mmCIF file of all heavy atoms in Angstrom:
data_model
loop_
_atom_site.group_PDB
_atom_site.id
_atom_site.type_symbol
_atom_site.label_atom_id
_atom_site.label_comp_id
_atom_site.label_asym_id
_atom_site.label_seq_id
_atom_site.Cartn_x
_atom_site.Cartn_y
_atom_site.Cartn_z
ATOM 1 N N LYS A 880 -122.243 151.079 101.900
ATOM 2 C CA LYS A 880 -121.651 152.387 102.315
ATOM 3 C C LYS A 880 -121.624 153.389 101.254
ATOM 4 O O LYS A 880 -121.967 154.542 101.372
ATOM 5 C CB LYS A 880 -120.281 152.176 102.797
ATOM 6 C CG LYS A 880 -119.958 152.671 104.287
ATOM 7 C CD LYS A 880 -118.591 152.153 104.638
ATOM 8 C CE LYS A 880 -117.829 153.116 105.483
ATOM 9 N NZ LYS A 880 -116.646 152.423 106.075
ATOM 10 N N THR A 982 -137.544 168.844 82.400
ATOM 11 C CA THR A 982 -137.840 169.774 81.340
ATOM 12 C C THR A 982 -138.918 170.532 81.978
ATOM 13 O O THR A 982 -139.991 170.015 82.327
ATOM 14 C CB THR A 982 -138.203 169.182 80.051
ATOM 15 O OG1 THR A 982 -137.035 168.448 79.632
ATOM 16 C CG2 THR A 982 -138.585 170.203 79.048
ATOM 17 N N PHE A 983 -138.764 171.860 82.087
ATOM 18 C CA PHE A 983 -139.625 172.644 82.851
ATOM 19 C C PHE A 983 -140.395 173.541 81.803
ATOM 20 O O PHE A 983 -139.958 173.886 80.667
ATOM 21 C CB PHE A 983 -139.111 173.727 83.792
ATOM 22 C CG PHE A 983 -138.342 173.108 84.984
ATOM 23 C CD1 PHE A 983 -136.845 173.245 85.029
ATOM 24 C CD2 PHE A 983 -139.022 172.375 85.870
ATOM 25 C CE1 PHE A 983 -136.283 172.589 86.142
ATOM 26 C CE2 PHE A 983 -138.298 171.772 86.995
ATOM 27 C CZ PHE A 983 -136.919 171.870 87.106
ATOM 28 N N LEU A 995 -145.243 166.356 74.388
ATOM 29 C CA LEU A 995 -143.795 165.909 74.221
ATOM 30 C C LEU A 995 -143.108 165.849 75.673
ATOM 31 O O LEU A 995 -142.367 164.743 75.889
ATOM 32 C CB LEU A 995 -142.965 166.978 73.409
ATOM 33 C CG LEU A 995 -141.468 166.772 73.343
ATOM 34 C CD1 LEU A 995 -141.204 165.526 72.472
ATOM 35 C CD2 LEU A 995 -140.763 167.897 72.742
ATOM 36 N N GLY A 1031 -144.983 158.764 68.310
ATOM 37 C CA GLY A 1031 -144.614 159.393 67.030
ATOM 38 C C GLY A 1031 -143.443 160.304 67.135
ATOM 39 O O GLY A 1031 -143.107 161.092 66.279
ATOM 40 N N GLY A 1042 -123.698 154.463 83.763
ATOM 41 C CA GLY A 1042 -123.396 154.225 85.182
ATOM 42 C C GLY A 1042 -122.959 155.464 85.873
ATOM 43 O O GLY A 1042 -122.606 156.409 85.173
ATOM 44 N N MET A 1076 -133.741 161.203 75.820
ATOM 45 C CA MET A 1076 -133.771 162.490 75.232
ATOM 46 C C MET A 1076 -134.563 162.293 73.934
ATOM 47 O O MET A 1076 -134.218 161.476 73.097
ATOM 48 C CB MET A 1076 -132.207 162.813 74.758
ATOM 49 C CG MET A 1076 -131.390 163.280 75.921
ATOM 50 S SD MET A 1076 -129.720 163.030 75.653
ATOM 51 C CE MET A 1076 -129.475 161.267 76.377
ATOM 52 N N ASP A 1089 -120.246 176.194 69.829
ATOM 53 C CA ASP A 1089 -119.615 176.297 71.186
ATOM 54 C C ASP A 1089 -119.067 175.002 71.682
ATOM 55 O O ASP A 1089 -118.538 174.978 72.799
ATOM 56 C CB ASP A 1089 -120.725 176.819 72.167
ATOM 57 C CG ASP A 1089 -121.937 175.926 72.408
ATOM 58 O OD1 ASP A 1089 -121.832 174.694 72.101
ATOM 59 O OD2 ASP A 1089 -122.979 176.331 72.847
ATOM 60 N N ASP A 1097 -133.875 169.444 62.832
ATOM 61 C CA ASP A 1097 -134.928 170.007 62.188
ATOM 62 C C ASP A 1097 -135.517 171.248 62.786
ATOM 63 O O ASP A 1097 -136.509 171.894 62.421
ATOM 64 C CB ASP A 1097 -136.048 168.947 61.863
ATOM 65 C CG ASP A 1097 -136.508 168.378 63.236
ATOM 66 O OD1 ASP A 1097 -136.240 168.791 64.350
ATOM 67 O OD2 ASP A 1097 -137.172 167.238 63.129
ATOM 68 N N GLY A 1114 -136.455 145.125 92.328
ATOM 69 C CA GLY A 1114 -136.937 146.332 91.627
ATOM 70 C C GLY A 1114 -135.836 147.344 91.453
ATOM 71 O O GLY A 1114 -134.666 147.015 91.493
ATOM 72 N N VAL A 1115 -136.305 148.697 91.480
ATOM 73 C CA VAL A 1115 -135.288 149.848 91.371
ATOM 74 C C VAL A 1115 -135.728 150.716 92.505
ATOM 75 O O VAL A 1115 -136.917 150.888 92.896
ATOM 76 C CB VAL A 1115 -135.209 150.436 90.129
ATOM 77 C CG1 VAL A 1115 -134.807 149.459 88.993
ATOM 78 C CG2 VAL A 1115 -136.380 151.338 89.690
#
Side-chain angles (χ1 to χ4, degrees):
K880 233 169 151 172
T982 300
F983 299 116
L995 169 72
M1076 287 155 268
D1089 63 18
D1097 57 18
V1115 308

